[in-house]
Amino acid sequence: VTGEPIFLEDGAQLDPRYARYPNTEGHVFEALAAIPLDRGEGPFGVAIVRHLRAHPFPPEERARLLDLAAATARIVEGYGHA
């Protein structure tokens, strides 16, 4: 675990880092983005975006996904302090 985002544009399920989850058997996800949720003290979760077909993650989409993960981390952290 590096704490770095992972973008797999094709053949995601063939990558050794691909995590299999219950109730997803039979679903083939070709593309995957895995973005750590981190507020400075190390990752505490991950945001996952999966695509059924190969999908490029161009720089502007990667930037939006990173922004979304950062906002999600702030929200989740806020609930932890409530």
Side-chain angles (χ1 to χ4, degrees):
V1 177
T2 66
E4 295 296 317
I6 297 170
F7 296 94
L8 304 172
E9 298 180 348
D10 192 14
Q13 292 191 31
L14 301 176
D15 190 284
R17 297 168 294 180
Y18 184 85
R20 285 162 176 57
Y21 295 97
N23 302 318
T24 61
E25 297 84 8
H27 297 280
V28 177
F29 300 103
E30 289 296 325
L32 169 88
I35 305 159
L37 301 177
D38 189 340
R39 290 296 298 145
E41 298 177 10
F44 63 86
V46 63
I48 302 286
V49 176
R50 300 183 293 194
H51 291 272
L52 294 174
R53 295 186 178 87
H55 176 79
F57 291 97
E60 61 276 2
E61 183 177 355
R62 290 179 184 217
R64 283 193 307 269
L65 291 171
L66 292 171
D67 288 345
L68 182 59
T72 301
R74 287 190 299 272
I75 291 167
V76 170
E77 183 185 48
Y79 282 111
H81 291 102

